[in-house]
């Protein structure tokens, strides 16, 4: 084997090894789904606010909270089944500050803010029937946002 051929094989091996290291390093930095509840995230909103959580797996249970999803990169919230993972409206809700021409100053259980891509699956959003007649109230509202 010539010296030039050995040199090219050596360089090819180094480049292939470097490529594999980059591929595995990229996979190693992929964020694992976050779990709710766990020691870092007692509530769904705390996981939503954590930018490292692009996927959130929510255990069975009833979570009385309002969620505001505001993530340009998108977010996935996955329960363990309809009727088993329930996001329930708190008795007292805050109104949305999102500017909208259609039904402004609404309250909500889940609000998906403008520019957000959200996927919610295998869960129940329960408004609880505790809205007042004068309240503009949504279980889930997508405002200039998209999702499933």
């Amino acid at each position: 084997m010539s010296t030039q051929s050995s040199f090219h094989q050596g360089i090819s091996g180094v480049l292939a090894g470097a490529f594999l290291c980059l591929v595995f390093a990229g996979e190693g930095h992929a964020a694992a789904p976050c779990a709710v509840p766990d020691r870092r995230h007692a509530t769904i909103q705390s996981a939503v606010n954590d930018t490292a959580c692009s996927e959130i797996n929510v255990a069975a249970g009833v979570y009385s909270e309002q969620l505001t999803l505001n993530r340009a990169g998108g977010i996935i919230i996955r329960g363990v089944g309809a009727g088993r993972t329930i996001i329930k409206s708190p008795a007292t809700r805050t109104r949305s500050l999102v500017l909208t021409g259609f039904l402004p100053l609404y309250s909500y259980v889940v609000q998906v803010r403008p520019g957000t891509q959200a996927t919610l699956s295998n869960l129940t959003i329960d408004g609880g029937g505790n809205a007042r007649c004068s309240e503009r109230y949504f279980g889930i509202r997508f405002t200039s946002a998209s999702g499933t």
Side-chain angles (χ1 to χ4, degrees), residues 74-126:
I75 191 163
I76 298 169
I77 300 175
R78 186 179 301 113
V80 295
R84 296 185 58 213
T85 301
I86 301 166
I87 303 170
K88 183 177 167 73
S89 173
T92 304
R93 293 169 296 282
T94 59
R95 293 191 181 227
S96 174
L97 299 176
V98 173
L99 297 176
T100 177
F102 177 72
L103 295 177
L105 298 173
Y106 59 90
S107 61
Y108 56 91
V109 179
V110 177
Q111 168 181 244
V112 185
R113 292 183 57 104
T116 299
Q117 165 65 40
T119 300
L120 293 90
S121 65
N122 296 320
L123 53 83
T124 298
I125 297 171
D126 181 0

Side-chain angles (χ1 to χ4, degrees), residues 127-146:
N130 60 5
R132 296 174 301 281
C133 289
S134 62
E135 184 179 18
R136 296 172 172 154
Y137 179 55
F138 293 87
I140 183 168
R141 183 162 187 189
F142 288 81
T143 304
S144 299
S146 60

